[in-house]
Amino acid sequence: MAKLVATGPNADQIEFWNGEGGEKFVRYQNALDLMLKPFGDEAMRRADVKAGEAVLDIGCGCGDTSIDLAMAVGVTGEVVGVDISEPMLARAEYMAGQTELTNVFFELADVEAGPLHRDSFDLAFSRFGVMFFRNPVTAFSNVHAALRKGGRLSFACWQALPRNQWVSIQLQAVLPLVPPPPMGPEDPGPFSFADRERLRGILSQAGFTDIAIEPFDTEVALGGMLVLDDAVDFSLEIGPATALLKGASDDVRAQARDAVRAALQTHQTKRGVMLAAGAWIVTATKG
Ligand SMILES: C[S@@+](CC[C@H](N)C(=O)[O-])C[C@H]1O[C@@H](n2cnc3c(N)ncnc32)[C@H](O)[C@@H]1O
């Protein structure tokens, strides 16, 4: 696989997903797949995937959804997963190699950087792989160009932080101990599409029509079915609280751990630490 150099408007994301971010997503792959599965399943259900279709999986990461999509389209269809992260794509190749599938392929590419397989796909899909573009209109215009006429778009992205207790609860616990993040609400990151009207405008500018943005609210077991202390470790390893604690002293880290543990404790159940999570399921077409 050719290397992707960390340059251009997404240089910081390329660096993150090929460094610490990608390494952690690979390490916690099972936990993350368990947590994210209901959202991906809902986006697939709304996509109405059919046998024989060609599907683009945007920001496919470790390949869980690419594999599910490849099963759904069958031997007469095919799936191409694209991502900027070499370690995650290596994991995706490995996971696909553990199956009998011959119709799933992975490509290292920045979706925003240029056209991808023009007029080739019936469906462009993503599970939380589309919120990290510096110029989302450019990226979605490339996705639009990759679809055949009448092709569909279906993806899951996060609603606003307050609707996502599985992240906000740790941030609230940690914020009294560290300076707040310097990020703006529309900067590339998990919550950059929280504003539904902004998202609709981006998709419309990129050429999509029949845009529907529906809430999908549920509860997730933090990191899968983890006991409290493992859920605390998971919280401090992955997600926005981790970034806030970067460079913090051992003393602050210990205080943060206690605060996160206390916050999560009240949500501990026999099924794990259960917290609210809210996504948008977005569908649109290339008219
Ligand atoms: C939160 S992860 C989701 C991964 C996977 N879809 C899943 O559900 O497990 C976001 C993914 O988007 C990828 N990504 C971010 N910016 C991208 C870009 N400009 N082009 C392609 N992939 C990108 C990251 O490398 C990462 O794999």
Side-chain angles (χ1 to χ4, degrees), residues 127-138:
R127 184 178 81 181
F128 303 119
V130 290
M131 303 89 80
F132 305 93
F133 308 128
R134 175 63 59 189
N135 302 300
V137 174
T138 308

Side-chain angles (χ1 to χ4, degrees), residues 22-37:
E23 185 263 312
K24 284 187 179 166
F25 257 72
V26 170
R27 181 148 35 107
Y28 287 102
Q29 188 207 348
N30 288 340
L32 289 162
D33 283 343
L34 272 174
M35 266 179 64
L36 303 182
K37 186 171 170 46

Side-chain angles (χ1 to χ4, degrees), residues 73-114:
V73 297
V75 286
T76 55
E78 71 168 31
V79 177
V80 177
V82 288
D83 205 286
I84 51 174
S85 170
E86 278 188 63
M88 293 170 79
L89 285 183
R91 181 72 184 167
E93 299 267 16
Y94 171 79
M95 296 302 290
Q98 300 299 299
T99 71
E100 302 279 299
L101 293 167
T102 54
N103 61 343
V104 57
F105 308 94
F106 296 102
E107 288 181 15
L108 185 68
D110 177 349
V111 170
E112 188 182 315

